[in-house]
């Protein structure tokens, strides 16, 4: 048993108990929780001081983990997704009607990404699905780039998964799946 696998199992245990976690991603530490656990998502939003109306990003280790959240996509859009994933491109895609408003905010779409970060992928695999992924910071402050910054800014996070960032110098690009426009 490696230390890394033990730490991932501890992060998954925290998610399964309705807790919030922080973990490394491509450019910054992210914070997340089980997207289907309303209380956990609301706790996360409170910790970050983020309004629910903005919506949240979900990360996954593969496209199949996102199927419960998005409407079926056209073959042309699927090709674009496959060309950009895994990688640091977040897509705004039409959300299924049953996706909770606390995930979509005031939008009909949901932000999703298949991450290229090996530890974040392993976390999603061990959890068995997509997780919420928003930057580890109080809204308006710089995102955390290490465990100490996470703990300093967000002491209410239940578990911090240590690890190295993926080396990207900026957060993921966000693209609109319908218009193709680059949002960020």
């Amino acid at each position: 048993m490696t230390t890394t696998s033990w730490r991932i199992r501890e992060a998954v245990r925290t998610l399964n108990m309705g807790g919030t976690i922080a973990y490394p991603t491509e450019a910054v530490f992210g914070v997340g929780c089980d997207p289907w656990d309303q209380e956990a998502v609301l706790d996360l939003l409170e910790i970050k001081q983020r309004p629910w109306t903005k919506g949240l990003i979900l990360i996954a280790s593969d496209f199949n983990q996102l199927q419960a959240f998005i409407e079926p996509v056209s073959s042309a859009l699927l090709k674009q997704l496959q060309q950009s994933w895994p990688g640091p491109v977040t897509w705004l895609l039409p959300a299924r009607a049953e996706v909770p408003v606390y995930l979509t905010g005031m939008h009909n779409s949901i932000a999703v990404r298949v991450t290229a970060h090996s530890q974040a992928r392993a976390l999603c695999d061990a959890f068995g699905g997509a997780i919420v992924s928003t930057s580890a910071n109080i809204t308006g402050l710089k995102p955390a780039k290490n465990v100490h910054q996470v703990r300093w800014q967000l002491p209410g996070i239940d578990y911090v998964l240590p690890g190295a960032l993926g080396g990207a110098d900026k957060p993921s690009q966000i693209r609109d799946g319908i218009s193709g426009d680059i949002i960020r």
Side-chain angles (χ1 to χ4, degrees):
M1 171 175 68
T2 67
T3 303
T4 301
S5 65
W6 176 86
R7 288 179 171 156
I8 287 175
R9 282 197 306 275
E10 186 63 21
V12 170
R13 185 183 74 75
T14 303
L15 292 170
N16 288 332
M17 291 177 56
T20 55
I21 64 169
Y23 50 90
T25 68
E26 289 90 343
V28 299
F29 264 75
V31 290
C33 60
D34 178 346
W36 296 111
D37 185 331
Q38 179 177 353
E39 188 174 327
V41 173
L42 296 178
D43 285 348
L44 182 68
L45 291 171
E46 185 176 325
I47 290 167
K48 274 188 57 83
Q49 300 174 26
R50 179 183 172 94
W52 70 270
T53 55
K54 291 176 84 172
L56 292 163
I57 295 174
L58 302 182
I59 63 165
S61 63
D62 67 59
F63 184 66
N64 291 329
Q65 293 179 343
L66 300 171
Q67 296 298 315
F69 300 95
I70 61 171
E71 289 289 338
V73 297
S74 69
S75 58
L77 179 54
L78 181 59
K79 185 176 181 181
Q80 289 181 8
L81 298 175
Q82 291 171 333
Q83 289 172 346
S84 67
W85 287 341
V89 179
T90 298
W91 287 87
L92 299 175
L93 300 175
R96 289 187 179 269
E98 59 271 18
V99 172
V101 69
Y102 60 78
L103 293 176
T104 61
M106 299 295 290
H107 310 282
N108 294 326
S109 59
I110 187 161
V112 294
R113 177 171 85 248
V114 174
T115 182
H117 189 278
S118 62
Q119 192 176 25
R121 288 173 69 95
L123 176 62
C124 292
D125 282 340
F127 179 60
I131 60 173
V132 169
S133 185
T134 182
S135 58
N137 62 307
I138 292 175
T139 299
L141 298 182
K142 284 188 173 186
K145 292 198 170 216
N146 61 52
V147 170
H148 300 295
Q149 290 174 359
V150 172
R151 291 193 172 129
W152 178 80
Q153 273 199 64
L154 305 170
I157 294 295
D158 296 310
Y159 181 76
V160 180
L161 177 64
L165 298 178
D169 59 350
K170 57 185 177 186
S172 66
Q173 179 185 82
I174 299 178
R175 296 191 63 182
D176 186 306
I178 302 302
S179 69
D181 293 343
I182 296 174
I183 310 297
R184 172 177 79 187

